[in-house]
Amino acid sequence: MNDNMFTAAGTAQATQQTIDGLERWRELNPLQQPTYLHADELETALTELRQQPPLIFAGEADVLTEHIAKASRGEAFILAGGDCAETFADATADQISRRVQTILQMAAILTYGGSVPVVKIGRMAGQFAKPRSADTETRDGVTLPSYRGDIVNSHEFTEEARRHDPRRLLEAYNTSASTLNLIRAFTTGGFADLRFVHQWNRGFLSANKNYKRYERTAAEIDRALKFMEACGADFHNLRSVEFFAAHEALLLEYERALTRIDSRTGEPYGTSGHFLWIGERTRDIDGAHVDFLSRVKNPIGVKLGPKATADDALRLAEKLDPNGTPGRLTFITRMGAETIRERLPKLLASVNLPHVTWVCDPMHGNTITSSNGYKTRRFEDVMSEVSGFFDAHAEAGTIPGGLHMELTGDDVTEVMGGGAEIDEEGLRRRYETRVDPRLNHDQSLEMAFQVAEYLTSH
Ligand code: PEP
Ligand code: CO
């Protein structure tokens, strides 16, 4: 039996009703969509996109659903990380490998801390579309359309660059394909060997000012690895890891064109990535995004900001996960360090859905502008939201399922604080993000060591 192919036979199995349902979002006034000037250019791009092979297979999405279900029970921990906005220019071998490396390094530390498997997910190979609070941007008296991610327009501040260009849909697909190909090669070809990963972490420790604090954990991991080796553990099996791709399913034309019917089940799967999420700005219960994602079988996430009520969460769960399938629905809370301790325990107590997985995004509720004009975050606020997340779950008797981070493997200076004590002036040195500030490589590892401490103590 061919397990996970999307074929014409599969299409025949799906009912017309299922197929028609995938178009329903069009009647629901989808928010945050591009405005293309030429309908024929869009149609040409979509026709081509519909003919492209899927980027992921349904069976892989199902495996991820099972892993996320484990996280909902505390038998695994999710680590999702990557750029706020990927760019076509940064999809280079070096940058992709450094991002994957950073996630693997963090995962090794967290696996030790939590004594459970870490489910590794990249905000990668498809994170090209950004929701924006304003449709336009004004600089020196010139107003142009906002940058909406490389899948829509270019960041450069010219009229031509900011035009919404449907050919970018294909470039996003191709860039996702090559990124995913490289990720698959890295994570199965020996790069993920646990012993190497641990050696990389030792390199970080010797350079970090907070070395003392993390030394003990690192030494314990050392001993654990030696113990495994002495017991004859087969390290060959630890050379490859599962790694999944996730992005915000924002551009519904793109997601629709890459939604295919699985021949095994006759069910639709979004094949642009394994895990798809709905952002804070597009999670209206009657909106287009919720409708569309309610119809695909992937594991999905919904961001919940500080204003989300228990009623919002319950209605979203009812619509997106009516059967209460473990692993299907993840709530990604992003409340802000100040708010989480007050809001999250109450939300958890009133929602009370054990099959739902709760993940913490400690980034998006903690964005500030520095006095010299940079969009930034404080490392201590990010950490404070993470600790608030663990405390809230301990208080409510629920399971903290994982973390969702904006990070990069590069030595950028976008988030203030951390061992290198980046201050407002320091932000100038290497501020490269296209949208939101990311933890750099060192800050990411520092966060992993601190979270490992929470996991050990919770
Ligand atoms: C994001 O994850 O980059 C994002 C825009 O988040 P949110 O929808 O939570 O604001
Ligand atoms: Co962001």
Side-chain angles (χ1 to χ4, degrees), residues 84 123 127 130-131 248 277-281 303 334 361 364 404 406 436:
C84 177
R123 276 177 70 111
Q127 178 53 19
K130 297 311 298 174
E248 177 173 351
W277 79 82
I278 305 173
E280 169 72 358
R281 294 169 186 76
K303 295 284 197 90
R334 29 88 87 220
D361 163 1
H364 289 89
H404 182 115
E406 287 185 341
D436 288 339

Side-chain angles (χ1 to χ4, degrees), residues 77 79 106-116 118 403 448 451-452 455:
F77 192 76
L79 174 64
M106 294 176 78
I109 301 163
L110 295 174
T111 305
Y112 179 79
S115 298
V116 290
V118 171
L403 293 173
V451 174
L455 288 173

Side-chain angles (χ1 to χ4, degrees), residues 73-108:
R73 299 190 292 266
E75 297 158 17
F77 192 76
I78 297 164
L79 174 64
D83 284 328
C84 177
E86 285 180 287
T87 62
F88 299 155
D90 285 351
T92 64
D94 281 352
Q95 273 161 300
I96 294 165
S97 76
R98 281 196 293 268
R99 251 171 283 155
V100 171
Q101 178 177 346
T102 306
I103 295 171
L104 294 176
Q105 287 181 271
M106 294 176 78

